[in-house]
Amino acid sequence: GAVVSQHPSRVICKSGTSVKIECRSLDFQATTMFWYRQFPKQSLMLMATSNEGSKATYEQGVEKDKFLINHASLTLSTLTVTSAHPEDSSFYICSARDSRGGKETQYFGPGTRLLVL
Amino acid sequence: QKEVEQDPGPLSVPEGAIVSLNCTYSNSAFQYFMWYRQYSRKGPELLMYTYSSGNKEDGRFTAQVDKSSKYISLFIRDSQPSDSATYLCAVTGYSTLTFGKGTMLLVSP
């Protein structure tokens, strides 16, 4: 398999502040990473596709000005939740696309739990 | 019709039972098939990866893909309480994964 890390694992912040979440592929280079959001007892919801060196592609209904994504290197993508509000509280998970050797799959990070007070 | 259908469960079995988890999909262009296991409050962990039709075995886990009927399965032999988790099937043609909603499995000692 492959290892994807996320930092922080948990964050509590006040309403109106911004929070940055980092996603790193530790043992392979990922030109494409993905950001998901998951509410309790629900499936993963894709928020955006992050491509190294270019703008992210957002899914319908996801505000690109609120969820800023930067993929500056082949091993790091960041998601910044700007002016967070309580409704942004959720479990955010990143994944890195692995297409080495003709494979086509994704490895997920451990997730970041965000609580906005 | 949803792209990937998966029974949410919960599926409760006694320890040692054989578990069968299934998904159906609608798009014949999907070529890559995966099963992920997700424990509560954790990110999904890739369990099985299969390309095209056929079977793949890894320890107690067997993944099966039938492209003609657009049906994928995961079998767990000798199930253990530690297998209790949500199992997500995922399919893709290229890049973006399409997930099933996940089946919650509960294995009782």
Side-chain angles (χ1 to χ4, degrees):
Chain A
V3 181
V4 176
S5 70
Q6 258 182 265
H7 178 80
S9 58
R10 182 182 303 188
V11 58
I12 301 173
C13 68
K14 292 182 179 179
S15 185
T17 60
S18 294
V19 174
K20 180 187 279 189
I21 303 169
E22 291 186 349
C23 177
R24 293 180 186 274
S25 57
L26 298 184
D27 51 2
F28 70 104
Q29 294 183 329
T31 54
T32 305
M33 292 184 173
F34 303 87
W35 287 95
Y36 295 83
R37 185 172 179 175
Q38 188 175 36
F39 291 105
K41 299 192 178 183
Q42 293 192 23
S43 191
L44 299 163
M45 184 190 80
L46 179 64
M47 298 175 66
T49 302
S50 168
N51 294 298
E52 187 265 338
S54 64
K55 289 184 178 180
T57 304
Y58 290 82
E59 295 300 300
Q60 193 173 11
V62 178
E63 298 176 59
K64 62 180 181 181
D65 294 329
K66 181 166 185 63
F67 299 99
L68 301 179
I69 291 172
N70 184 276
H71 194 156
S73 80
L74 289 171
T75 58
L76 173 64
S77 176
T78 60
L79 169 69
T80 301
V81 184
T82 61
S83 186
H85 288 93
E87 58 266 29
D88 298 323
S89 299
S90 188
F91 191 48
Y92 292 86
I93 312 173
C94 71
S95 72
R97 178 185 173 209
D98 183 3
S99 53
R100 293 173 294 175
K103 200 175 182 179
E104 188 60 56
T105 189
Q106 293 178 25
Y107 292 96
F108 285 83
T112 297
R113 192 159 300 279
L114 171 64
L115 176 61
V116 185
L117 301 176
Chain B
Q1 182 184 10
K2 292 180 182 175
E3 285 202 288
V4 180
E5 300 269 10
Q6 184 177 10
D7 188 332
L11 176 62
S12 295
V13 301
E15 184 175 357
I18 296 174
V19 175
S20 173
L21 303 166
N22 309 290
C23 287
T24 57
Y25 63 94
S26 58
N27 189 340
S28 58
F30 292 136
Q31 294 187 71
Y32 303 90
F33 307 91
M34 285 139 278
W35 284 95
Y36 288 87
R37 176 174 62 194
Q38 187 177 22
Y39 292 110
S40 181
R41 297 170 176 259
K42 301 288 185 185
E45 170 195 7
L46 180 64
L47 269 182
M48 300 291 283
Y49 167 85
T50 315
Y51 171 69
S52 196
S53 283
N55 291 1
K56 185 173 182 179
E57 189 173 320
D58 184 0
R60 296 185 295 112
F61 299 91
T62 300
Q64 203 170 73
V65 175
D66 183 347
K67 290 190 72 178
S68 63
S69 56
K70 300 190 186 68
Y71 194 83
I72 59 176
S73 302
L74 177 70
F75 299 96
I76 307 174
R77 291 184 298 281
D78 187 25
S79 56
Q80 303 294 309
S82 58
D83 295 328
S84 297
T86 296
Y87 290 80
L88 298 149
C89 63
V91 298
T92 186
Y94 179 76
S95 186
T96 305
L97 293 183
T98 301
F99 286 94
K101 288 197 175 295
T103 300
M104 182 183 293
L105 173 65
L106 303 170
V107 182
S108 55

PDB file of all heavy atoms in Angstrom, chain A residues 32 76 116:
ATOM      1  N   THR A  32      -2.416  14.150  -8.385  1.00  0.00           N
ATOM      2  CA  THR A  32      -3.818  14.442  -8.096  1.00  0.00           C
ATOM      3  C   THR A  32      -4.165  13.997  -6.680  1.00  0.00           C
ATOM      4  O   THR A  32      -3.872  12.864  -6.298  1.00  0.00           O
ATOM      5  CB  THR A  32      -4.756  13.723  -9.088  1.00  0.00           C
ATOM      6  OG1 THR A  32      -4.384  14.073 -10.422  1.00  0.00           O
ATOM      7  CG2 THR A  32      -6.204  14.126  -8.851  1.00  0.00           C
ATOM      8  N   LEU A  76       2.116  17.317  -1.472  1.00  0.00           N
ATOM      9  CA  LEU A  76       1.397  18.125  -0.487  1.00  0.00           C
ATOM     10  C   LEU A  76       0.235  18.883  -1.120  1.00  0.00           C
ATOM     11  O   LEU A  76       0.393  19.586  -2.106  1.00  0.00           O
ATOM     12  CB  LEU A  76       2.352  19.129   0.165  1.00  0.00           C
ATOM     13  CG  LEU A  76       1.716  20.164   1.109  1.00  0.00           C
ATOM     14  CD1 LEU A  76       1.098  19.474   2.322  1.00  0.00           C
ATOM     15  CD2 LEU A  76       2.757  21.192   1.540  1.00  0.00           C
ATOM     16  N   VAL A 116     -16.204  23.708  14.840  1.00  0.00           N
ATOM     17  CA  VAL A 116     -16.246  25.169  14.868  1.00  0.00           C
ATOM     18  C   VAL A 116     -17.263  25.589  15.920  1.00  0.00           C
ATOM     19  O   VAL A 116     -18.435  25.207  15.843  1.00  0.00           O
ATOM     20  CB  VAL A 116     -16.628  25.747  13.488  1.00  0.00           C
ATOM     21  CG1 VAL A 116     -16.552  27.274  13.528  1.00  0.00           C
ATOM     22  CG2 VAL A 116     -15.726  25.196  12.405  1.00  0.00           C
TER      23      VAL A 116
END
